[in-house]
Amino acid sequence: MMKPRKVPLRTCIGCQEQKNKRELVRIVRTPEGKVEMDPSGKKAGRGTYICQKRSCLEAAAKGKRIERSLKHPVSPAVVQEIAAKLPEDDGDV
C-alpha cells in the first residue's frame, strides 16, 4: 500500500489563509533585487505567496507584508504591475 503524497501548503500574505501551493501565486525577489511575479514558482530568490485575488494583494501591500516577507522595499509601481496580472475580484469581499 502506497503512502498518500503530502500536499504542500503555503500561507497567503494577504488573507493569512493556508492553501494548496498550486492555488497561490508566488512573488519573488530575485538575486538582482527585482521584485516580480513568478508563475512557474521556480525562479531563484526569496519568495512569498498570495491568493489570485487583487483584494489579497492590496491588503498585503497596505500592511507592508510583501516588503516584510521579501525583506526588500517594494514600490507601488511593482504592486500595480502584479495587480494587472491578477484576475478581477468578483465582489465577494
Side-chain angles (χ1 to χ4, degrees), residues 2-70:
M2 291 182 61
K3 280 179 146 179
R5 291 191 76 168
K6 184 179 174 191
V7 177
L9 296 176
R10 299 291 182 267
T11 302
C12 170
I13 60 170
C15 62
Q16 305 295 311
E17 289 182 26
Q18 271 201 341
K19 296 186 179 182
N20 184 336
K21 182 179 172 183
R22 301 223 181 261
E23 294 175 24
L24 302 172
V25 176
R26 184 170 185 248
I27 299 173
V28 66
R29 174 181 47 98
T30 63
E32 296 82 38
K34 187 175 182 210
V35 176
E36 55 192 35
M37 203 161 110
D38 178 13
S40 69
K42 297 182 181 194
K43 283 189 181 177
R46 184 171 188 88
T48 189
Y49 292 85
I50 195 153
C51 293
Q52 296 185 17
K53 293 191 275 184
R54 288 189 186 181
S55 58
C56 283
L57 178 66
E58 289 165 7
K62 185 177 178 184
K64 299 206 182 280
R65 286 180 241 155
I66 298 172
E67 294 179 359
R68 200 173 319 127
S69 293
L70 298 178

